[in-house]
Amino acid sequence: MNKIFKKSLNRSKSFFSEPANFILTIFLCIFLVTTILPLVSIILESFTVHKQETLFYGKPTGSLTTLGWSSLLFTGNYDYSIKYFYKPLGNSLLIALIASFVAILIGGVFAWFICRTNVKWKKVVSALLIFPYIMPSWTIALCWKNIFANTNVPSIGANGFLASVFGIYAPTWLVFGALPIGITLGIHYAPFAYILIGGILKNMDANLEEAATILKTSRARILTKITLPIVAPAMLNTFLLVFASSISAYAVPVFLGTAVDFNTLTTSMKYFNGNKPAQGFAIGILLVCLGLIVMTVNNLLTSKRKSYTTVTGKSGQVSYVDLKKGKYPIAILGMIVVLLISIIPICSFALESLLSTPGDYSSISLDFWIGDANDSVLANKYYNWEGGILRNVTVWKSLGNSLLLSTVCSVIAGTCGLLLGYGIVKKKHSKLSKTVNTLSFIPYLIPSMAFGMAYMAFSVKAGILYGSFLLLAIVGSVKYMPFATKSSTGAMMQLSGEIEEAAILTGTPWWKRMTRVIFPIQKSSFLSGYLLPFISCMRELSLFVFLIIDSNFIVTTLLMYYNEKGYDQYGNALNLLIVIIVLLVNFIINKLTGASIDKGVGGN
């Protein structure tokens, strides 16, 4: 027995003496606690009677029951299930389909023109095309509302830009509902399509098209028979990513759906959280299942699909389509579209925040930026006057909390992602590496709102952390870690093992190899793993909406508070402030290190 014990101990020492094995084992334990346990909690909560449900279900608090599920799915009285589940489910699927179509249309068209033609101003258009992803999705929704709103539409007290300036009154279905929600989400996720499809088109072997050209095949036939089949996997990936992300969207349906009672699964889940939590948890589980189903379908379709070799050793030259005289008109049209979806929203927030009276574009003022909260004239002029946002203590406090939270999440997620990337690549053929790699991406598959709800269930049940900064930091770090892991894994795959082996032969310890050799070589890619979590956290709302007790705690929940209260100028000013901070951080990091968000786009 003693020999067996010593042998096992020696094996353990030998196993953990390798940094990669030690890292993977630690993270296996971490993911079991931070990912699996919250999911188990949300499942249990969906079958548990909560305090506010005792009268409704006729059972004591804490008892197990299936009534939460059955009442959600099968209650016919007053069309309860239809109103609160089946109709929101249909609405969620509809906006996801619209968003996927719009994203592929915008991103795919721009990818083809920039990667496969001689169109002008490629660098400028490409840079601006990333803006819609950098901006929170709900900022685009607010811009849509600023432009199309008019007094003929329910819940609108002032005209938007088109009605005020041009007298154009858009119908209700164009201001609120499925179409505007789908379009704004599609615009937000268009960079997915641009980067995924553009990457394939950029690396596609020119010989494929040259051979078709020699055979006098028309450009239209080359596009449909060669180009489109080759980019089909990227289009499928984009469709499924946007579809899964749009189903879990919360803020955009709130901005553009609440006024006309257009509910989705996420807005229904928020409703149930107040009076029937078990049904809210049940919807959270269904959202998780939808995300997993979408990703499973993606894996099955891409694994069974016939291979199309697009990169060979013969020709690295890109075969550009000569647009001739059309290269300038098409460039101008493309620039107009890009300005509409990237620059116009920013201009819209700036303009709307300067209006003393919403809808009156002659009432320009800086009151909502620098106005004094104690000014009696301004207090009489504006309803519930709180002072300009640059002199508002609440705004600065929430902004400081958001910056601190984003920094903490980016440091934790980026560092953990770096370590994970190292461990996964070094032991890429081991079962431990494959298991940890799979677990690390589970948060990516889970919709943000459902993930936050899982942690709410877990923290409330355990009686710890709920509503605390620490819980937000943990949730944000775990949720955004897949972004950093993906970036770091790709960077580590590019490094030859000989580089670290040379350092090992000189007796360099592991931590010095990481900080003096590995990190400096792939600095740009690694820093992208820090940047994307920061930006994602800075604009996040859905992930934290169930975890924050005070709506003024971070800047996004404060913005939602202003929107719900109808403080349009405050909302637009705060929106502009968030976008400026995000763009400024991305610009500074890019200039200092070469890292940029466009190297990490592809997260939830």
Side-chain angles (χ1 to χ4, degrees):
M1 183 65 70
N2 192 31
K3 288 183 178 180
I4 296 175
F5 175 76
K6 286 184 176 180
K7 191 175 182 180
S8 299
L9 183 62
N10 289 332
R11 284 181 177 177
S12 297
K13 285 182 178 179
S14 176
F15 180 81
F16 288 115
S17 65
E18 294 188 45
N21 288 332
F22 181 77
I23 290 169
L24 292 174
T25 303
I26 293 296
F27 276 103
L28 176 63
C29 298
I30 291 174
F31 286 136
L32 289 176
V33 175
T34 60
T35 301
I36 304 302
L37 280 183
L39 289 179
V40 172
S41 294
I42 193 174
I43 294 172
L44 291 176
E45 290 296 319
S46 71
F47 291 101
T48 302
V49 176
H50 301 80
K51 184 178 180 180
Q52 56 268 56
E53 297 171 322
T54 52
L55 292 177
F56 183 73
Y57 293 135
K59 291 180 177 290
T61 302
S63 58
L64 296 178
T65 179
T66 59
L67 290 175
W69 282 90
S70 60
S71 57
L72 174 68
L73 301 176
F74 307 116
T75 300
N77 295 340
Y78 306 106
D79 293 328
Y80 181 86
S81 294
I82 293 176
K83 182 178 180 181
Y84 292 106
F85 176 68
Y86 292 106
K87 191 173 180 180
L89 174 61
N91 290 339
S92 295
L93 295 174
L94 177 59
I95 64 172
L97 287 171
I98 296 173
S100 300
F101 173 78
V102 172
I104 291 174
L105 179 64
I106 295 175
V109 169
F110 273 99
W112 187 80
F113 274 105
I114 289 176
C115 296
R116 308 302 296 178
T117 73
N118 62 341
V119 70
K120 293 296 182 180
W121 309 327
K122 291 184 180 182
K123 289 186 178 180
V124 176
V125 172
S126 182
L128 291 177
L129 201 56
I130 304 299
F131 275 36
Y133 183 78
I134 296 178
M135 293 186 290
S137 58
W138 34 266
T139 61
I140 302 174
L142 185 58
C143 174
W144 185 281
K145 187 177 176 181
N146 289 340
I147 293 173
F148 291 100
N150 59 81
T151 52
N152 292 344
V153 174
S155 302
I156 296 294
N159 288 325
F161 183 78
L162 287 180
S164 297
V165 178
F166 299 105
I168 300 174
Y169 288 75
T172 300
W173 58 265
L174 189 57
V175 182
F176 295 123
L179 186 63
I181 293 174
I183 291 175
T184 53
L185 287 172
I187 291 172
H188 176 65
Y189 291 116
F192 279 166
Y194 172 66
I195 290 174
L196 291 175
I197 297 174
I200 299 295
L201 289 172
K202 186 177 181 180
N203 294 321
M204 191 172 72
D205 188 357
N207 287 337
L208 298 170
E209 293 175 317
E210 288 171 2
T213 303
I214 292 171
L215 295 174
K216 297 183 179 180
T217 307
S218 66
R219 273 292 170 186
R221 190 167 179 81
I222 292 174
L223 180 65
T224 56
K225 296 299 182 179
I226 296 177
T227 309
L228 285 180
I230 287 174
V231 300
M235 293 176 67
L236 177 62
N237 286 336
T238 303
F239 174 84
L240 293 173
L241 282 170
V242 176
F243 189 89
S245 300
S246 300
I247 281 181
S248 63
Y250 170 70
V252 175
V254 168
F255 273 96
L256 298 178
T258 303
V260 291
D261 198 28
F262 183 89
N263 290 314
T264 62
L265 287 178
T266 52
T267 55
S268 292
M269 185 164 62
K270 186 68 166 61
Y271 164 77
F272 286 129
N273 184 51
N275 53 6
K276 297 169 185 174
Q279 296 184 34
F281 286 118
I283 291 180
I285 294 171
L286 291 171
L287 282 172
V288 172
C289 292
L290 283 172
L292 293 174
I293 289 170
V294 167
M295 294 304 164
T296 302
V297 171
N298 180 34
N299 292 336
L300 288 174
L301 291 177
T302 53
S303 63
K304 291 182 178 180
R305 189 179 183 277
K306 293 180 179 179
S307 174
Y308 283 87
T309 301
T310 62
V311 182
T312 71
K314 295 181 179 179
S315 175
Q317 185 179 357
V318 178
S319 177
Y320 289 113
V321 175
D322 185 5
L323 298 177
K324 299 179 181 179
K325 293 182 179 180
K327 60 185 177 182
Y328 284 103
I330 291 175
I332 292 172
L333 180 61
M335 186 64 74
I336 291 173
V337 173
V338 168
L339 291 176
L340 286 175
I341 65 177
S342 60
I343 303 301
I344 295 300
I346 299 175
C347 296
S348 169
F349 306 144
L351 180 60
E352 294 290 334
S353 69
L354 296 175
L355 301 184
S356 297
T357 304
D360 183 2
Y361 288 86
S362 63
S363 59
I364 301 296
S365 170
L366 290 173
D367 291 343
F368 288 92
W369 283 93
I370 59 174
D372 186 356
N374 300 316
D375 191 322
S376 58
V377 176
L378 294 177
N380 291 328
K381 183 178 180 180
Y382 302 114
Y383 176 69
N384 281 349
W385 173 247
E386 297 183 10
I389 66 168
L390 297 181
R391 301 178 66 176
N392 189 316
V393 176
T394 301
V395 170
W396 282 110
K397 186 177 179 180
S398 64
L399 182 60
N401 288 335
S402 289
L403 288 170
L404 179 60
L405 179 61
S406 300
T407 302
V408 170
C409 288
S410 67
V411 171
I412 295 175
T415 304
C416 290
L418 174 59
L419 295 173
L420 273 169
Y422 175 86
I424 289 169
V425 173
K426 289 297 178 181
K427 297 293 178 181
K428 58 185 175 182
H429 298 300
S430 68
K431 290 183 179 180
L432 179 60
S433 175
K434 293 176 181 178
T435 301
V436 173
N437 190 26
T438 300
L439 286 175
S440 71
F441 274 84
I442 287 180
Y444 173 85
L445 303 176
I446 301 174
S448 294
M449 202 168 186
F451 195 72
M453 187 176 233
Y455 266 85
M456 180 188 75
F458 178 64
S459 60
V460 170
K461 197 76 172 178
I464 56 173
L465 299 180
Y466 180 64
S468 67
F469 180 89
L470 180 58
L471 179 62
L472 299 182
I474 293 172
V475 175
S477 300
V478 175
K479 179 63 178 176
Y480 304 132
M481 201 180 299
F483 301 154
T485 303
K486 180 180 179 182
S487 178
S488 298
T489 301
M492 287 300 304
M493 290 288 285
Q494 293 178 332
L495 284 176
S496 171
E498 297 173 355
I499 296 175
E500 188 177 8
E501 288 171 6
I504 294 174
L505 291 174
T506 61
T508 307
W510 177 79
W511 67 271
K512 276 192 175 181
R513 299 199 300 270
M514 288 294 294
T515 56
R516 302 284 180 86
V517 180
I518 296 175
F519 188 88
I521 292 175
Q522 291 289 63
K523 179 181 64 175
S524 179
S525 296
F526 288 142
L527 287 175
S528 294
Y530 285 87
L531 179 60
L532 187 56
F534 178 90
I535 292 176
S536 298
C537 187
M538 193 67 198
R539 59 185 176 81
E540 183 61 71
L541 174 64
S542 301
L543 182 64
F544 301 128
V545 71
F546 284 122
L547 303 173
I548 291 178
I549 299 174
D550 181 8
S551 62
N552 298 335
F553 189 71
I554 59 175
V555 71
T556 50
T557 52
L558 178 62
L559 176 60
M560 182 59 69
Y561 164 78
Y562 283 142
N563 178 68
E564 291 173 348
K565 294 296 182 182
Y567 302 158
D568 293 340
Q569 294 96 327
Y570 281 126
N572 281 285
L574 207 53
N575 248 321
L576 180 61
L577 192 61
I578 293 172
V579 172
I580 289 175
I581 291 173
V582 169
L583 293 176
L584 188 61
V585 169
N586 186 61
F587 176 78
I588 293 173
I589 296 296
N590 178 251
K591 290 301 179 184
L592 292 177
T593 68
S596 179
I597 192 173
D598 59 345
K599 297 177 182 177
V601 168
N604 190 10

